Structures are given as C-alpha cells and as structure tokens.
Amino acid sequence: MAFNKSLAGYYDDLAHVGIPTDDLKKTIAFWEKLGFKKQGQFDTDDQGHQVVFMKAGHLMLEIWDSDGAVHKTGAINHISLNVEDADNAFKAAKEEGFDVKEDEVQHLDFWKHGIKFFNIVGPNDETIEFCEVVKD
C-alpha cells in the first residue's frame, strides 16, 4: 500500500466508457456489428433494467437502460479509470481537493466479487469514475 500517493498514481488504464440507452437490444446489436462482444449482463434494479458490458480489443463499454439516452453530442455519461485500490484512491481524491460526488466508496454486485467505485467531477462537469473490479 502506498503512502502519500496522488490520485494520478492509482489508476493504470481505462476501465470503461458509460453510455445510457433507450433501447438496450438495438444498442447491443449496433456495437456487435462494430465487432464488440458481450462480456457480462446484470440486473440494476427490480424494475427489469439491465447493464451490459461489451468489449472490442482493449475498449470496454458499459451500456444501461435505466437513465435514458441524451440523443445529442455529450451522450456519453462517464469515463471510468481502472484502479486496484478504490478505498485509498478515494482518500487521495478527497485529500487533493477533487470534487468527489459520493461521501464514501460505492459497491455494486457486478462481476464475480462486485465492484468498488467513486466519481469525481471534471472542469466541464464531466464525470470521471474510478473503478475497482474486486478480485476476491
């Protein structure tokens, strides 16, 4: 575990790009036509909403149907950076004065052991997520 590590030192790669949709099946078909392959699909609530992760090469997309699409430039919801230690990255973000959206690291039951994540706000109100896929 690193001490005095800046937030920039916690991420090592792009984790995914988040895109909301109004039509999950149509969106999956579009990205499949571009060569993306479904990696996982999960329920997001008890209303039947889903999130799908699709990958082509090194690029992972997170596509979900609970928020609705924007239908104009700026339709991408967030960019996610991969971290191995979301808890300490969160502490670094707070210590460095980033505009952190959450009061604590969040958890979701995606993948085998879930994910941990938090979001910061960029200078143009863009959302940057820091996401750890829990290994065990």
Side-chain angles (χ1 to χ4, degrees), residues 5 23 25 38 45 64 70 92 94-95 97 102 119:
K5 191 175 188 181
D23 188 331
K25 287 181 184 179
K38 191 185 300 183
D45 58 26
W64 68 95
V70 176
K94 297 288 270 184
E95 288 170 4
E102 297 83 14
N119 299 285

Side-chain angles (χ1 to χ4, degrees), residues 103-119:
D103 292 329
E104 60 187 19
V105 174
Q106 305 297 297
H107 303 262
L108 287 171
D109 293 330
F110 298 166
W111 308 113
K112 186 175 181 180
H113 298 289
I115 64 168
K116 295 168 136 184
F117 71 96
F118 66 93
N119 299 285

Side-chain angles (χ1 to χ4, degrees), residues 85-103:
D85 186 352
D87 295 314
N88 280 313
F90 178 82
K91 289 176 189 172
K94 297 288 270 184
E95 288 170 4
E96 291 177 54
F98 284 98
D99 183 0
V100 180
K101 288 187 168 189
E102 297 83 14
D103 292 329

